[in-house]
């Protein structure tokens, strides 16, 4: 083969590779943003009994709550409508990875989660609290419940479990599939207390005033809560959600959505302890 033939062969091979790459690019699935705009549907995870975030009307199966209002606002900006998938705090990350949903609300951006999904900027900053069963002394510090004889109920895979294992490693930590099951364990005496985000604890005790008491142990633990999305090269969806989160948080609109969500369980702004940030 002479030099000209060799160059021609290399050129043809390069063209073939380029054509293959182009074909793959043409057939590659679009980004989340493109899919939402094309389908006109924004798929979100919803979690029953998690006011003020989510509230399910059992008589109509209709969803409401702060995150539903947020989702509707986001969808309106994208020319889409909201479609819901019932999930749990732990499973919604798996739902994102499995492409069952496009958006997960109230996700704490832990290092472990950042390896498998991406996040918007924070929509809120939350405090962690403890719901104690009746007759159990309210802890003033986390060390007071960091004892082998103390049974702490948490929902598996949640940040509640992360906090329990981080600050109460000596305690007897009981894991449940859903937070409602963890709360039931406290109400029936199987567990001494439950660790939850303050916004969830306040709503839980409003619905179940005989359950126990709310404690805000020191040091005060806070974490941002963000929107979770699939990790992808196209940053437009992430950038849009981050801009949306920053804009509504700074205007106070996010707080208004949260207060409206609290109304579902009969809570007004004056009923919410000062330690509960949102």
């Amino acid at each position: 083969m002479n030099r000209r033939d060799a160059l021609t062969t290399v050129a043809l091979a390069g063209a073939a590779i380029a054509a293959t790459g182009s074909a793959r690019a043409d057939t590659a699935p679009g980004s989340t943003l493109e899919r939402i705009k094309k389908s006109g549907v924004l798929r979100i995870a919803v979690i029953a009994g998690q006011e003020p975030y989510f509230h399910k009307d059992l008589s109509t199966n209709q969803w409401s709550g702060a995150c539903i209002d947020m989702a509707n606002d986001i969808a309106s900006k994208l020319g889409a409508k909201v479609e819901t998938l019932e999930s749990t705090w732990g499973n919604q990350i798996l739902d994102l990875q499995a492409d069952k949903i496009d958006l997960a609300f109230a996700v704490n951006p832990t290092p472990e989660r950042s390896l498998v999904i991406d996040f918007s900027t924070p929509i809120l900053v939350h405090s962690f609290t403890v719901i104690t069963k009746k007759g159990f002394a309210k802890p003033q510090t986390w060390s007071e419940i960091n004892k082998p004889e103390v049974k702490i109920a948490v929902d598996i895979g949640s940040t509640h479990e992360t906090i329990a294992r981080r600050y109460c490693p000596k305690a007897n930590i009981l894991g449940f599939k859903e937070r409602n099951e963890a709360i039931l364990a406290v109400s029936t005496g199987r567990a001494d207390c439950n660790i939850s985000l303050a916004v969830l604890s306040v709503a839980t005790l409003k619905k179940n005033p005989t359950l126990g008491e709310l404690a805000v142990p020191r040091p005060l633990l806070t974490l941002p809560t963000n929107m979770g999305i699939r990790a992808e090269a196209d940053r437009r969806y992430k950038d849009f959600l981050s801009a949306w989160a920053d804009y509504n948080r700074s205007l106070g609109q996010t707080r208004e959505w949260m207060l409206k969500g609290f109304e579902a369980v009969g809570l007004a702004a004056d009923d919410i302890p000062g330690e509960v940030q949102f």
Side-chain angles (χ1 to χ4, degrees):
M1 178 183 296
N2 59 34
R3 186 169 181 275
R4 171 178 284 183
D5 291 340
L7 290 173
T8 300
T9 300
V10 171
L12 290 173
I17 292 172
T20 301
S22 177
R24 286 176 179 170
D26 290 341
T27 57
S31 68
T32 300
L33 184 61
E34 291 171 345
R35 192 209 62 77
I36 294 171
K37 288 185 173 182
K38 184 176 181 179
S39 67
V41 174
L42 172 67
R43 302 170 299 170
I44 69 166
V46 290
I47 305 169
Q50 302 302 308
E51 293 84 3
Y53 294 129
F54 302 103
H55 174 74
K56 185 179 183 179
D57 187 324
L58 298 180
S59 63
T60 63
N61 288 326
Q62 294 297 308
W63 290 89
S64 60
C67 290
I68 298 298
D69 287 339
M70 293 181 199
N72 285 329
D73 191 72
I74 291 170
S76 71
K77 303 291 189 294
L78 300 175
K81 63 179 181 180
V82 173
E83 184 177 283
T84 61
L85 173 71
E86 192 158 347
S87 186
T88 65
W89 292 121
N91 285 344
Q92 65 174 349
I93 305 301
L94 299 176
D95 294 334
L96 265 178
Q97 292 178 277
D99 196 21
K100 294 181 179 179
I101 58 173
D102 305 309
L103 183 59
F105 280 99
V107 180
N108 295 112
T110 64
E112 293 78 11
R113 287 172 177 169
S114 70
L115 293 173
V116 293
I117 65 170
D118 209 344
F119 307 95
S120 70
T121 53
I123 52 176
L124 298 163
V125 175
H126 284 315
S127 308
F128 286 92
T129 57
V130 173
I131 295 176
T132 62
K133 71 178 181 182
K134 274 197 169 297
F136 188 84
K138 289 176 59 175
Q140 300 302 308
T141 66
W142 292 98
S143 61
E144 292 177 32
I145 56 174
N146 185 26
K147 301 173 182 178
E149 63 270 24
V150 177
K151 298 178 181 179
I152 302 176
V154 293
D155 41 329
I156 296 171
S158 67
T159 310
H160 307 143
E161 182 184 14
T162 301
I163 292 295
R165 298 195 183 282
R166 168 67 177 83
Y167 286 89
C168 307
K170 297 178 183 178
N172 184 2
I173 299 173
L174 309 177
F176 296 87
K177 181 180 178 181
E178 298 182 357
R179 182 172 173 274
N180 286 340
E181 295 175 359
I183 295 299
L184 181 62
V186 175
S187 68
T188 57
R190 293 173 56 197
D192 298 309
C193 58
N194 162 259
I195 293 175
S196 291
L197 289 171
V199 291
L200 300 176
S201 296
V202 170
T204 295
L205 288 173
K206 183 66 177 182
K207 290 191 295 183
N208 306 281
T210 62
L211 176 62
E213 295 187 84
L214 178 69
V216 187
R218 275 12 184 203
L220 183 63
L221 303 180
T222 61
L223 274 180
T225 184
N226 303 39
M227 292 176 281
I229 58 176
R230 280 184 299 283
E232 56 187 19
D234 188 339
R235 290 179 52 88
R236 291 177 300 162
Y237 185 49
K238 175 181 177 179
D239 290 345
F240 161 74
L241 290 175
S242 293
W244 180 92
D246 293 344
Y247 180 76
N248 285 287
R249 189 179 66 252
S250 64
L251 285 181
Q253 178 61 64
T254 304
R255 177 179 174 81
E256 290 184 18
W257 281 321
M258 292 294 289
L259 289 174
K260 180 182 175 184
F262 274 123
E263 291 176 2
V265 289
L267 277 166
D270 292 341
D271 299 319
I272 302 167
E275 297 91 345
V276 179
Q277 302 178 38
F278 60 88

